[in-house]
Amino acid sequence: MSELAVGNIVRRVLHIIREEDHSNTRDAVEGFRLSVGGDNDYIVEQDHLNLSVAAQSSLCRPSLHALLERSPDSATTYFTATTEDDSEEKRKSLDPNARSLEFRRKVISAVNDLIEDINTCHLVIAELAVEHIHHNEVILTFGRSRTVKEFLCAAKEKKRSFGLFVAEGAPKYQGHLLAKELAARGLQTTVITDSAVFAMISRVNMVIVGVHAVMANGGVIGPVGLNMVALAARKHAVPFVVVTGTHKLCPLYPNNPEVSLNEMRSPSEVLSFEEFSDCMDYRIGTGAPQLHVGNPSFDYVPPELVSLFITDIGGYYPSYMYRLIADYYSSDDLVIQQKPAS
Amino acid sequence: MDPRRASRTVSDPKIRQVGFFAPPPDRSFSGPPDPISTSTPNPAAATTTAAAANTSSPPPISDLSPSGNSLSPVMIPPPRHSSDTTHRPVPFPPVSPLRRDTLSLTVGSYNNNNNNIISSSPTASFYDESKGITVKVSPTPAASSFPGGGFDLTAVKASSVPASGLTTVSVVKTLPPGFTETIVEKVGGSVEMQNDLPANSKPLKERTSKAERRALQEAQRAAKAAAKAEGSKLSATTSGAVASANAKPTKATKPSSQKNDSATVASSEKKGGDRPPEKDRKKDAPHPRMQYDDKSRVEKAKRRAVVKQTEARNRVELFRHLPQYEHGTQLPDLESKFFQLDPVHPVVYKVGLQYISGDISGGNARCIAMLQAFQEAIKDYSTPDEKTLTRDLTAKINSYVSFLNECRPLSISMGNAIRFLKNRIAKLPLTLSESEAKAFLQSDIEQFISEKIILADKVIVKHAVTKIRDGDVLLTHGSSSAVEMILLHAHELGKQFRVVIVDSRPKLEGQLLLRRLVGKGLSCTYANINAVSYIMHEVTRVFLGASSVLSNGTVYSRVGTACVAMVAHEFRVPVLVCCEAYKFHERVQLDSICSNELGDPDAISKVPGREDINYLDGCTNSENLQLLNLIYDATPSDYVSMIVTDYGMVPPTSVPVIVREYCRDQVWI
C-alpha cells in the first residue's frame, strides 16, 4: 500500500489511453457535425444513429480493454458515416484493424513520453536550481534523494558556493551516501545526526528535501523524521522546499496517513536482536510482549509546513497541487476497481 | 496539526484550580476518563485497572503526595538566612507549611559527624553502612524501594570499581577486568610528565603574587566599608560580594586572612535578601567562558596542559569556538602516565580516564565521581610549609579541575559543585587546624552530595509521580537518572502505564535505560528519534532530563531533546523537565551553537551493529566532508510546561528566581 508512485503511473497510463480515445471521439463528432449539413434523409438518419452511438460511447466509457481491442464493426460504424469531410478521408480510407493499430501506436508513444519525462525530471528541476540557491547560503537536506542531488549539483555548476548540512536519516542512513557523493563533487558538506536538526537549523537558510509521494491536499509522504525537520523549519521560519517530479503526485487525499500510508520495517534496524534477545522474551501479566519496537519508514508532513513545491512543470504552492490532478488523471481512475475473482 | 486527543483533562469548573497542584487523593474529581487507556496496547490490563484505580486511589499514594492538602500550591519558600560556615546550617527547606512530613528533616540534624538521620515513619533504610549514613524514607509498598538502591556511596578507592555501583546514575559499563594489568604493562612509558612540572609550578607562583596584591586591595576596601557602615549590614554585603568574586573558577583568587575575619564577624547578621551595592554587583556577572578561536589563549592553555591533545584536523567552521581534539589518542597516552602521578592525585586521574572512555556519563554521575575524588584528594592532602591551607588547596583543586576539563569539558553541574567547594575552602576560619579543616571540607562535600543530589532526586521523584496517572503513556528521551527513578518508583507504587523510550545517535543511551526498565517489569516501547512524530500520537506525557536549566528558561540537555519537546508541543502533550536545582545556572543561551560540546566525529560514521552502513569509512579526512557530533542542545522555554526540581514544580520562568534566591555566593541554602 505504500508504493503510491506505482498507482500513479497506472493511472497516468489509463488517463493517456482515455485521452487518446477522447480525442478520436471528438474528431469523429466534429466530423458528424460537419456532415449533418447534407439533406440526404438516409444519411441523416444514419448520421443520427451514429452520432448517438458515438455520444453513447463517449458518455458511458466502454472498458479500456474494449477501446484497445475495438471490434472492427463498431469502428466501421464510427467512421464510415463521415463521407463528406476531407479531413476524414484519411481515416475513412484506413482499414479498421489498422485504425486500432494506429490508436495503439499513439498510446504507446504517449507512454514512452511519460517514461522519458520520469527519467529526466530531475534534470528539468535542476535547471530551476539557480533561481533558488544563492551565494553563501546554508542548506539542510534529509536522507538521500536523486532529485535533490542533481538540484544541488546544478547550483554548484553555476558557481554558487554554499554550505550543506545532511541529516543522516536513520535507520537507512542514506544521508551518509549522499554526503559522500556530494563531497566528491566538491560541495562543502557536513553530516549531522537527526537529533541535531533542531540545534543546527537556526543557522540554515533553506531546507530542501525529496519525498516519496505528494498527496492531493499538498501534504507529502517522506522518509521518517521529515515531520520533525519540517516543524523545526517552521519554528525558525526557514523555507521548507520539496523537489519532486509530477509522477509522484498522487490523486488521493490522505486519511490517517501515519497508519494507512505507512510501512513498518524490521525492528532489527533499530534494536540489535543479538543484544536484546533476552529482553524479547519478557511478558507482562496478560501474555502480551513487554517490549515493543516501532520502526515506521514514512512520515506525513501536512501542507501547512511546506513552503514550496518545485516540480518539472514549475514551482507551486501546496494548496495548488490539487489542480494538477485534473491534468494528469481521469476521475474514473481514482479508485481502481478490483476485478471479481470469478 | 490538529490535536489528536478528543479531550484533554478538563477540570470540573466548580473546583477550578490555578497553578500546579497535586491531584487530590480522591480521584473522582479528576476529569473525564482517559481516552488513552482504551487505546493502549495492553487493552485488557489497562482498562480494567484504570477503571479500578480511578475510583479507589491506593492509600500509599496519598501518604506520599508532597502537598497533603490538595488545594495548596507548591510554593517557593521565602529566602532564608544564609547563615555561614562554621556549623552546618542546613535544615532542608520546607516547601510549604502544609506539606506532609514524609521528608521533613529535624533541624540541626546535620552535624559534623556523619550520622545524619532523616527520620519519619518506619522505613526501609538503605545506603551503604561504610559511610555511616542512613537515610530513611517513607514506606513504599514494595519495600525494595528506591532505585537509589543502586546508589552506592562507597568512596572511590583507587583499586575498586565504582562504576558498577552507580548504576542508576551512570552508564553501566564495567571497567574491563584487566584494567590494572594493562596499566602495569604500560609503565615503561614516557617521561613527559617531568617536563610539565616546571611549567606548571611557574604560573602558580605568578598567580600567587598577583592574588596577594589583589587580596590586600580587597581587604583595604572591606575595612573601609566596614568603618563606614552603620551596622554590620554593609560589611556583610561586601563580604558576600568578595566571596562571590572568589568563586569565579578561572581566576585563582585567594582570600586573605582579613577577609575571612570580616566574613565570620558579619555572617551572623547577614540576610539573604540584601542586595550588594552597585559596584560589587557588576562582579557578579558571570565571567565569559574561554572561546577556543582565540589563538593566544589556546596556546597558553596548551602549555599548561597535562593531557596531550592534538586538535582535530577537520573542524566545522561554525564551531571553531569550541575545542575539538582527536579522539582515541588521549586514553592510551594517559594510561601510560598513570604512575608518574605528580601534579594529579591518582583518584582524580582515574576519574579523568573514566570520563574520557565514557564509563561515567550523565550530569549527576560525573559530579558525584568528581566530588568523591576530591574528598580523597583532600584526605591525602597535607599543607606544604610556608603556605596557607586555603590558598594552596585552592590551587591544587584548580589544577585538578583543569586536568578533568582536558579529559572532558566540564558539565554545568560539575562547574557549580566546584564553585561551591572553592567557596567553602575560602570560608574556612583560620583558627582551624589542618586536620579539622580537612574534616570540615570532607563533610561539606558529603553534605552537598547527599543534599543536593541524592535528596533532591528523591524530592523530584515524589513530586513527579503525582503527575503520572493510570493508563498514561510516558515518553522519555535518552537516559536520564532522574526520569528513570521516577518511572521505577511509579511502577513500584502500582501505577499502570507504558513507557516509550526515544533514542538518538550516536550514543544510543536509551538502550541502556530500556534494558533496565524492562528488567524491572515495565512495559516499554523503543523507537528512534525519527519516529517521534509517529509515536507521539499515543503519548500523554513527556518526561525529560536536563544537564542544566539556564536563566532564560532554556533547557540545556542531550542533543535531540529539543526535537522531542518541539514535536510534543505540536501535539499538545505536556513536557516535564526533571532537574535538580544545583544544576541551574545564571548563564543565558539562545541557541545550541553558542556553547556546546563536540564529540568524536568517528562515532557518526560508524553505525554499531550495521556493518552494511559503511559509506563513510575512511572519509573523515576528506577536505569537503565534515562530521559533526554535537553532544548538547538548547530547548527553548516555550516548549517546556513545567520543571520539577527539589524546590518544587516550577515554570521555566522561575529558574532565575531560584538561582538568585538560593544560589547566592554558592552557599546553596
Side-chain angles (χ1 to χ4, degrees):
Chain A
M1 184 44 227
S2 64
E3 206 47 72
L4 295 162
V6 173
N8 295 350
I9 300 306
V10 170
R11 293 188 186 94
R12 286 285 284 270
V13 171
L14 298 179
H15 181 73
I16 287 172
I17 297 173
R18 287 190 205 279
E19 278 275 313
E20 283 297 329
D21 175 61
H22 192 64
S23 66
N24 284 344
T25 326
R26 218 182 7 213
D27 293 344
V29 170
E30 277 176 15
F32 274 138
R33 276 195 229 107
L34 290 173
S35 67
V36 155
D39 45 21
N40 196 335
D41 273 339
Y42 162 73
I43 294 179
V44 167
E45 230 176 66
Q46 189 71 321
D47 286 346
H48 279 293
L49 184 62
N50 291 332
L51 182 55
S52 67
V53 166
Q56 204 176 23
S57 67
S58 64
L59 280 177
C60 76
R61 308 262 184 195
S63 80
L64 288 163
H65 185 74
L67 277 178
L68 287 173
E69 300 287 335
R70 190 182 299 276
S71 60
D73 298 329
S74 50
T76 352
T77 44
Y78 233 30
F79 293 116
T80 48
T82 66
T83 51
E84 312 277 323
D85 206 346
D86 263 350
S87 64
E88 306 306 316
E89 281 301 322
K90 187 172 60 149
R91 224 178 277 161
K92 185 178 63 169
S93 62
L94 284 176
D95 181 26
N97 277 337
R99 243 172 260 129
S100 93
L101 218 60
E102 178 66 28
F103 177 71
R104 278 191 250 181
R105 209 173 295 141
K106 284 191 192 159
V107 169
I108 289 174
S109 79
V111 172
N112 279 334
D113 284 342
L114 176 61
I115 295 175
E116 196 56 37
D117 278 344
I118 297 175
N119 279 334
T120 58
C121 71
H122 54 275
L123 294 175
V124 175
I125 293 173
E127 286 165 19
L128 300 171
V130 71
E131 286 176 15
H132 296 279
I133 302 180
H134 302 97
H135 272 292
N136 295 335
E137 281 202 358
V138 178
I139 294 180
L140 173 75
T141 186
F142 190 89
R144 175 172 183 262
S145 159
R146 189 173 65 151
T147 320
V148 171
K149 187 173 86 160
E150 297 302 323
F151 195 80
L152 295 172
C153 292
K156 179 90 174 65
E157 303 292 318
K158 299 283 193 326
K159 309 285 187 263
R160 301 278 163 96
S161 68
F162 54 92
L164 184 67
F165 285 108
V166 178
E168 55 183 12
K172 284 181 163 176
Y173 300 101
Q174 295 288 312
H176 290 192
L177 193 52
L178 177 69
K180 189 166 157 183
E181 291 168 356
L182 289 176
R185 296 240 210 149
L187 276 171
Q188 196 60 249
T189 13
T190 306
V191 176
I192 61 174
T193 55
D194 311 313
S195 39
V197 163
F198 191 91
M200 299 310 301
I201 203 157
S202 56
R203 296 290 192 274
V204 165
N205 297 122
M206 196 184 330
V207 178
I208 302 183
V209 293
V211 295
H212 186 73
V214 180
M215 310 308 291
N217 67 342
V220 295
I221 305 284
V224 66
L226 199 62
N227 191 28
M228 197 169 71
V229 177
L231 288 171
R234 183 180 67 172
K235 156 80 177 171
H236 289 87
V238 173
F240 186 83
V241 174
V242 174
V243 291
T244 167
T246 45
H247 61 281
K248 289 187 181 166
L249 173 63
C250 178
L252 301 175
Y253 280 84
N255 181 20
N256 200 9
E258 297 84 6
V259 176
S260 60
L261 294 175
N262 214 335
E263 186 183 287
M264 305 299 283
R265 296 168 63 90
S266 162
S268 62
E269 293 177 358
V270 171
L271 199 60
S272 150
F273 281 157
E274 298 91 49
E275 288 174 23
F276 281 85
S277 51
D278 50 338
C279 295
M280 303 285 180
D281 293 331
Y282 292 171
R283 293 275 184 272
I284 62 174
T286 60
Q290 198 179 343
L291 174 61
H292 294 264
V293 179
N295 188 9
S297 41
F298 297 117
D299 228 1
Y300 172 71
V301 179
E304 303 86 60
L305 298 178
V306 180
S307 310
L308 183 67
F309 282 100
I310 298 183
T311 67
D312 43 348
I313 48 174
Y316 296 105
Y317 197 64
S319 53
Y320 180 79
M321 298 310 276
Y322 77 99
R323 300 297 291 179
L324 297 176
I325 295 172
D327 288 345
Y328 292 114
Y329 303 104
S330 316
S331 54
D332 302 334
D333 299 325
L334 290 183
V335 180
I336 298 190
Q337 310 287 358
Q338 303 277 1
K339 266 204 154 146
S342 61
Chain B
M1 217 171 225
D2 293 332
R4 307 297 300 184
R5 263 153 283 282
S7 58
R8 311 287 323 184
T9 47
V10 172
S11 55
D12 189 353
K14 287 201 291 285
I15 41 169
R16 191 172 183 79
Q17 301 170 1
V18 178
F20 293 113
F21 292 91
D26 176 11
R27 296 278 182 84
S28 55
F29 282 123
S30 68
D34 265 27
I36 309 307
S37 60
T38 55
S39 62
T40 58
N42 307 328
T47 45
T48 50
T49 53
N54 265 338
T55 49
S56 65
S57 61
I61 295 182
S62 56
D63 282 342
L64 292 171
S65 78
S67 50
N69 184 343
S70 61
L71 287 180
S72 73
V74 175
M75 305 187 300
I76 295 184
R80 304 162 33 78
H81 291 248
S82 62
S83 58
D84 214 315
T85 62
T86 56
H87 280 288
R88 293 304 142 260
V90 206
F92 198 78
V95 177
S96 95
L98 300 171
R99 180 180 168 169
R100 288 265 194 101
D101 280 345
T102 53
L103 267 197
S104 65
L105 308 180
T106 55
V107 174
S109 62
Y110 275 110
N111 45 17
N112 291 352
N113 38 353
N114 289 334
N115 285 328
N116 301 327
I117 296 185
I118 300 138
S119 70
S120 56
S121 31
T123 60
S125 77
F126 60 104
Y127 283 167
D128 205 326
E129 280 68 45
S130 68
K131 291 302 283 186
I133 299 178
T134 43
V135 179
K136 302 187 178 167
V137 289
S138 43
T140 60
S144 68
S145 78
F146 259 31
F151 263 127
D152 189 356
L153 279 190
T154 52
V156 171
K157 299 184 184 49
S159 55
S160 72
V161 180
S164 56
L166 294 166
T167 48
T168 54
V169 170
S170 67
V171 168
V172 177
K173 278 195 214 168
T174 53
L175 287 175
F179 185 71
T180 42
E181 283 81 34
T182 53
I183 290 179
V184 168
E185 286 161 17
K186 295 191 182 162
V187 162
S190 58
V191 287
E192 286 137 343
M193 291 294 280
Q194 316 298 346
N195 296 335
D196 284 342
L197 259 184
N200 269 343
S201 55
K202 228 198 282 184
L204 272 179
K205 288 217 189 76
E206 289 171 1
R207 271 185 262 146
T208 315
S209 56
K210 259 192 249 168
E212 288 261 335
R213 284 182 262 126
R214 208 160 166 281
L216 272 172
Q217 265 183 345
E218 301 288 22
Q220 285 164 0
R221 203 187 300 155
K224 222 196 290 182
K228 243 196 304 184
E230 277 81 275
S232 44
K233 233 179 163 189
L234 266 182
S235 70
T237 57
T238 49
S239 75
V242 155
S244 67
N246 285 338
K248 299 205 178 60
T250 52
K251 295 195 195 129
T253 54
K254 290 163 191 62
S256 71
S257 49
Q258 291 99 323
K259 275 194 292 213
N260 266 337
D261 285 342
S262 61
T264 44
V265 161
S267 61
S268 48
E269 279 110 294
K270 180 171 177 183
K271 294 181 185 49
D274 288 335
R275 302 262 72 86
E278 192 59 48
K279 60 173 165 59
D280 292 323
R281 207 184 308 180
K282 271 193 288 240
K283 287 208 209 81
D284 293 346
H287 187 71
R289 288 168 312 269
M290 172 153 165
Q291 305 286 321
Y292 281 81
D293 48 2
D294 187 353
K295 270 216 142 14
S296 57
R297 298 189 68 180
V298 171
E299 288 304 318
K300 245 197 280 182
K302 259 184 165 165
R303 262 181 270 129
R304 278 184 267 161
V306 172
V307 180
K308 282 214 165 318
Q309 315 252 29
T310 52
E311 284 199 12
R313 271 158 289 155
N314 218 0
R315 305 178 55 155
V316 182
E317 274 303 320
L318 197 52
F319 289 97
R320 283 228 169 249
H321 60 286
L322 296 174
Q324 169 127 43
Y325 298 111
E326 292 277 340
H327 287 248
T329 54
Q330 303 158 334
L331 193 55
D333 196 32
L334 280 182
E335 276 176 0
S336 65
K337 290 189 201 163
F338 189 73
F339 286 103
Q340 296 121 27
L341 298 170
D342 262 347
V344 179
H345 191 276
V347 178
V348 176
Y349 200 84
K350 178 173 195 194
V351 168
L353 291 184
Q354 285 175 321
Y355 286 170
I356 294 183
S357 66
D359 284 346
I360 295 188
S361 89
N364 281 341
R366 287 171 70 192
C367 190
I368 290 180
M370 177 189 76
L371 285 176
Q372 288 176 335
F374 284 169
Q375 268 185 320
E376 277 290 316
I378 288 175
K379 191 169 79 163
D380 294 340
Y381 169 77
S382 59
T383 320
D385 301 330
E386 296 151 13
K387 289 217 172 123
T388 58
L389 176 93
T390 49
R391 249 179 258 141
D392 191 54
L393 187 57
T394 313
K396 243 189 158 44
I397 298 284
N398 280 340
S399 70
Y400 294 162
V401 167
S402 62
F403 168 74
L404 290 177
N405 197 18
E406 288 156 18
C407 293
R408 188 178 159 188
L410 294 180
S411 68
I412 298 186
S413 58
M414 291 165 70
N416 286 346
I418 291 168
R419 284 200 287 179
F420 162 81
L421 179 61
K422 286 199 192 165
N423 188 276
R424 278 283 187 258
I425 296 177
K427 293 228 175 100
L428 282 176
L430 282 184
T431 54
L432 290 178
S433 74
E434 179 178 317
S435 56
E436 281 178 349
K438 282 171 26 174
F440 263 26
L441 286 176
Q442 284 182 283
S443 73
D444 270 343
I445 294 180
E446 198 54 52
Q447 187 193 344
F448 184 87
I449 293 179
S450 64
E451 243 183 61
K452 293 294 160 190
I453 306 182
I454 315 287
L455 267 180
D457 277 337
K458 285 205 208 67
V459 176
I460 288 176
V461 168
K462 287 281 193 300
H463 283 301
V465 292
T466 61
K467 294 296 177 190
I468 300 179
R469 305 162 301 180
D470 283 342
D472 262 350
V473 180
L474 307 175
L475 182 133
T476 183
H477 172 258
S479 164
S480 159
S481 56
V483 174
E484 183 179 347
M485 284 195 250
I486 292 171
L487 296 174
L488 289 174
H489 190 233
H491 184 70
E492 278 163 20
L493 291 178
K495 304 208 185 200
Q496 302 293 323
F497 59 93
R498 268 201 305 140
V499 177
V500 179
I501 299 175
V502 165
D503 206 4
S504 64
R505 284 239 305 148
K507 291 204 166 183
L508 292 176
E509 296 163 326
Q511 292 188 348
L512 299 161
L513 177 66
L514 175 71
R515 192 180 280 281
R516 291 195 287 264
L517 290 183
V518 167
K520 290 281 170 73
L522 278 85
S523 159
C524 301
T525 305
Y526 178 84
N528 200 12
I529 194 169
N530 282 331
V532 68
S533 299
Y534 173 82
I535 214 106
M536 194 59 76
H537 292 282
E538 333 174 318
V539 174
T540 56
R541 297 240 193 287
V542 174
F543 279 87
L544 297 173
S547 171
S548 167
V549 183
L550 307 175
S551 277
N552 59 340
T554 308
V555 176
Y556 190 69
S557 175
R558 184 67 80 219
V559 67
T561 308
C563 289
V564 171
M566 172 184 67
V567 176
H569 181 79
E570 185 64 27
F571 283 78
R572 322 278 171 89
V573 175
V575 174
L576 289 86
V577 173
C578 308
C579 179
E580 298 86 356
Y582 84 101
K583 290 181 178 167
F584 291 173
H585 200 276
E586 59 211 353
R587 200 172 91 197
V588 291
Q589 190 171 331
L590 288 173
D591 60 17
S592 318
I593 314 239
C594 318
S595 156
N596 210 318
E597 188 183 328
L598 294 177
D600 185 9
D602 286 328
I604 295 201
S605 57
K606 295 186 192 27
V607 180
R610 302 272 299 274
E611 280 68 33
D612 50 325
I613 313 281
N614 56 356
Y615 310 121
L616 290 179
D617 277 350
C619 283
T620 42
N621 295 329
S622 147
E623 55 171 35
N624 284 329
L625 182 63
Q626 280 124 13
L627 303 172
L628 180 61
N629 184 1
L630 285 179
I631 306 282
Y632 292 112
D633 74 7
T635 307
S637 61
D638 28 347
Y639 292 150
V640 178
S641 314
M642 186 160 81
I643 301 184
V644 185
T645 75
D646 42 330
Y647 290 105
M649 297 191 273
V650 299
T653 47
S654 297
V655 170
V657 175
I658 291 181
V659 170
R660 180 171 141 135
E661 296 301 324
Y662 294 101
C663 311
R664 309 234 56 235
D665 319 324
Q666 297 306 310
V667 181
W668 284 104
I669 298 196

